[in-house]
Each structure stands twice: as C-alpha cells, then as structure tokens.
C-alpha cells in the first residue's frame, strides 16, 4: 500500500506570493492533518480534516487555510507569504477515528525569499 | 508557552546500552501520549503510545513510562542500535476532551546518536 504522498517536495516562493501544497493520504484513510515544522518552534499542528470537514484547527493566522476533497486528498494554502513561513510542512493521514495512528508523509520544504 | 517539552536537544549513547529520552508536559488535560521517530528527509514514524490510565507500555525494545503526578514521560530503548539514530518527538493529545491523534502537541525533539 502506498504511503502518504506530498507534492511538491520542495518549493521556493517570494514574500507576498501564495502557495498551495497537496497531500494524498493512504488509500482508505479519511482523516488528514497538517503540521508545520520549524527549527525554533518544532512541529506545530495546523488543522485536521475528516470527511471534507475541518475537525480541529491550530493557532495559526487566517492566511493558512486548507480543504479536503471527497477522495480524502487535501490541500493547504498559504496566502501573502512571509519569511517566517519557511518551514517543512507535513501531512499525516489516519483511518477514520480519532484514536487511529497517524502516518506522516515526507513533507514539503517551503522556502520564502 | 510550550505545553510539551523535551529539554535535551541531543543524546549520545553507545551501541548496546540503554537510551532514555525524556519529556515533560504542563497541561493536565493531556491523556494520551505518543513517541515518534524521524529520519532526515522523511516524515515522523509512530513508535509507541501510552494512555494516561497506564504507567507503562512496552513494545519490543521500546518502553514508555508515564508519571502523571510529575507530568513526565520517558522512552527507554534497550538495547540501543545504530539504526535508532534519529530525532525522537514526544507528542500529547486530549483524547477525552475533543482531541484526537490528528491534533497532537509535539515537543521539539531530541536527536539520538547511537555510536557503534
């Protein structure tokens, strides 16, 4: 079974631009979460989606948004990029209950210049 | 305000010896704890978890201990192997308070190096 895939793996943008990252969960998984990893803050929860509905949201500004499609694939969007948005963005998927183990993708490395 | 803290950024251990990774938390509503391992250029991989109703959970070479009164948990790896060299993250969730494993609070990680 294929693991969680994220595209693109690397991305370079400039301040003020917007970016969309994509995540394909493991087949059959209906829950997708997004995390931001930076050297200073570590891994921080962004949001969680289940069956196209946002189930939880972390403490990030409104510039960060996401959505989930009917096939469970998810996208996250960051608008008006800032230098501090440079990070590794990780997506994780799990089956369908809140207690199921999450499986992480390799991440998308975003660099904002 | 960090709710999950891993105060040791790095740890070096000899192969065959025990590795002990520590984690402290501040939120008493956390009731489910996990450890993840991360290699460079890969996403974190789930290792082991423990519910707050237990004080120990074991899986092969990995054992997690939970001390609720001290708000402290630790991961023991015995015996340590060079392939265990990675960054280890402690994570917590409030499963009984609307949380889920899809909404985890992570520590900043401890880099473990196991020397042959």
């Amino acid at each position: 079974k294929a693991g969680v895939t994220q595209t693109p793996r690397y991305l370079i943008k400039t301040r003020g631009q917007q970016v969309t990252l994509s995540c394909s969960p493991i087949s059959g998984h209906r829950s997708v979460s997004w995390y931001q990893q930076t050297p200073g803050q570590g891994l921080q929860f962004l949001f969680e989606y289940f069956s196209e509905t946002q189930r939880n949201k972390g403490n990030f500004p409104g510039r960060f948004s996401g959505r989930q499609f009917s096939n469970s694939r998810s996208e996250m969007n960051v608008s008006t990029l800032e230098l501090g948005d440079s990070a590794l963005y990780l997506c994780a998927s799990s089956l369908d209950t809140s207690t199921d183990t999450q499986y992480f993708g390799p991440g998308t490395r975003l660099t904002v210049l | 305000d960090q709710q999950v803290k891993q105060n040791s950024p790095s740890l070096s251990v000899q192969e065959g010896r025990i590795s002990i990774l520590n984690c402290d938390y501040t939120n008493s509503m956390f009731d489910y704890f996990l450890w993840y391992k991360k290699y460079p250029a890969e996403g974190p991989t789930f290792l082991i978890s423990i519910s707050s109703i237990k004080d120990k959970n074991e899986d092969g070479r990995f054992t997690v201990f939970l001390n609720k009164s001290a708000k402290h948990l630790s991961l023991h790896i015995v015996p340590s192997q060079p392939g265990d060299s990675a960054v280890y993250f402690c994570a917590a969730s409030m499963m009984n308070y609307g949380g889920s494993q899809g909404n985890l609070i992570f520590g900043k990680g401890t880099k473990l190096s196991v020397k042959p």
Side-chain angles (χ1 to χ4, degrees):
Chain A
K1 200 183 246 189
V4 177
T5 57
Q6 294 186 244
T7 56
R9 290 294 308 279
Y10 302 91
L11 204 48
I12 299 175
K13 292 285 188 179
T14 56
R15 277 182 301 173
Q17 286 187 307
Q18 76 163 18
V19 68
T20 299
L21 311 181
S22 181
C23 171
S24 293
I26 292 172
S27 177
H29 285 194
R30 295 166 61 194
S31 172
V32 172
S33 295
W34 288 89
Y35 292 84
Q36 180 197 65
Q37 185 183 11
T38 59
Q41 298 299 320
L43 269 156
Q44 291 186 285
F45 171 74
L46 278 157
F47 22 67
E48 178 192 11
Y49 287 89
F50 177 74
S51 291
E52 301 179 66
T53 302
Q54 188 177 85
R55 185 154 68 178
N56 282 296
K57 188 178 191 303
N59 189 25
F60 276 81
R63 300 185 296 108
F64 291 81
S65 62
R67 58 179 176 168
Q68 186 181 33
F69 302 95
S70 57
N71 61 358
S72 294
R73 191 177 70 84
S74 177
E75 288 181 347
M76 68 161 280
N77 185 77
V78 189
S79 62
T80 322
L81 284 166
E82 300 176 1
L83 295 179
D85 296 334
S86 295
L88 180 68
Y89 290 87
L90 291 158
C91 167
S93 76
S94 61
L95 269 172
D96 59 6
T97 72
S98 62
T99 58
D100 289 317
T101 300
Q102 287 190 98
Y103 296 87
F104 281 83
T108 293
R109 172 72 63 184
L110 171 65
T111 302
V112 182
L113 302 175
Chain B
D1 178 31
Q2 233 187 319
Q3 298 185 69
V4 177
K5 299 177 186 179
Q6 294 178 255
N7 292 318
S8 299
S10 62
L11 174 68
S12 185
V13 169
Q14 207 65 34
E15 181 180 6
R17 306 296 290 268
I18 184 171
S19 294
I20 300 176
L21 297 105
N22 294 303
C23 178
D24 297 295
Y25 61 96
T26 57
N27 192 336
S28 56
M29 291 172 69
F30 286 144
D31 53 18
Y32 196 74
F33 304 89
L34 307 92
W35 285 93
Y36 279 82
K37 177 171 73 173
K38 187 179 186 298
Y39 293 118
E42 294 182 14
T45 304
F46 170 75
L47 261 180
I48 191 167
S49 62
I50 187 166
S51 163
S52 60
I53 62 173
K54 295 185 176 182
D55 55 19
K56 177 182 173 182
N57 190 23
E58 197 170 348
D59 184 1
R61 297 186 298 115
F62 303 92
T63 303
V64 56
F65 295 92
L66 176 62
N67 182 334
K68 286 194 296 290
S69 60
K71 294 192 177 68
H72 176 85
L73 64 155
S74 61
L75 174 69
H76 293 212
I77 306 174
V78 183
S80 301
Q81 300 173 352
D84 295 330
S85 297
V87 178
Y88 288 78
F89 291 96
C90 168
S93 178
M94 295 179 265
M95 301 288 272
N96 288 318
Y97 298 95
S100 72
Q101 283 207 48
N103 173 8
L104 296 174
I105 310 298
F106 281 87
K108 292 190 178 181
T110 296
K111 184 175 182 179
L112 173 66
S113 299
V114 180
K115 309 292 185 186

